Structure formats: C-alpha cells, structure tokens
Amino acid sequence: MQSIKFYKKYETHLAKLGDVEYKGYNIGDLPPSFGFITNSAGQEGKSHWFNYKGLTYIEKTELPW
C-alpha cells in the first residue's frame, strides 16, 4: 500500500501518491473536464480522482506548452 503525502504550496492543496501528483479542488472549482473519459467532441476528461477532507484531488497534468 502506498502512502499519501499532503502539502500546501502557494495556497494550492497538493498530494503525492507514489510518483503521481494530485491537485485539490473545492467542489465549485472543479475543471470542466472532470467526470468523463471522452466527450462527443473527442476531448479527454478526468475520470480518476479521490476525495479527502472536503477536497477532490485530481491528477495534476503538465501543460503541453
């Protein structure tokens, strides 16, 4: 079983599970790509997350630029 490390950087809630980094969101601040795998336009969404102490943690992705 892997341990979760929580930390706060620049007022952002972050968690690290193994080698994967997650960002915490309040329920009203979730990105529009949350909750689906692919939509009808072919865009990829976020389908894996976990909840902890009122925040929803979604895998942090690197921007392509």
Side-chain angles (χ1 to χ4, degrees):
M1 180 173 236
Q2 297 177 354
S3 63
I4 301 174
K5 295 180 182 179
F6 293 96
Y7 54 98
K8 201 169 183 184
K9 182 177 182 182
Y10 306 116
E11 298 300 320
T12 304
H13 296 276
L14 300 172
K16 194 165 189 176
L17 176 62
D19 293 334
V20 181
E21 196 169 84
Y22 293 86
K23 182 178 178 187
Y25 293 92
N26 287 322
I27 193 71
D29 297 330
L30 289 171
S33 62
F34 175 75
F36 64 89
I37 298 172
T38 55
N39 65 5
S40 59
Q43 296 173 334
E44 296 209 10
K46 309 288 185 188
S47 60
H48 299 309
W49 67 87
F50 67 93
N51 295 319
Y52 184 74
K53 289 192 175 181
L55 294 176
T56 301
Y57 288 88
I58 301 174
E59 184 176 354
K60 189 175 174 185
T61 56
E62 296 295 325
L63 297 175
W65 56 83

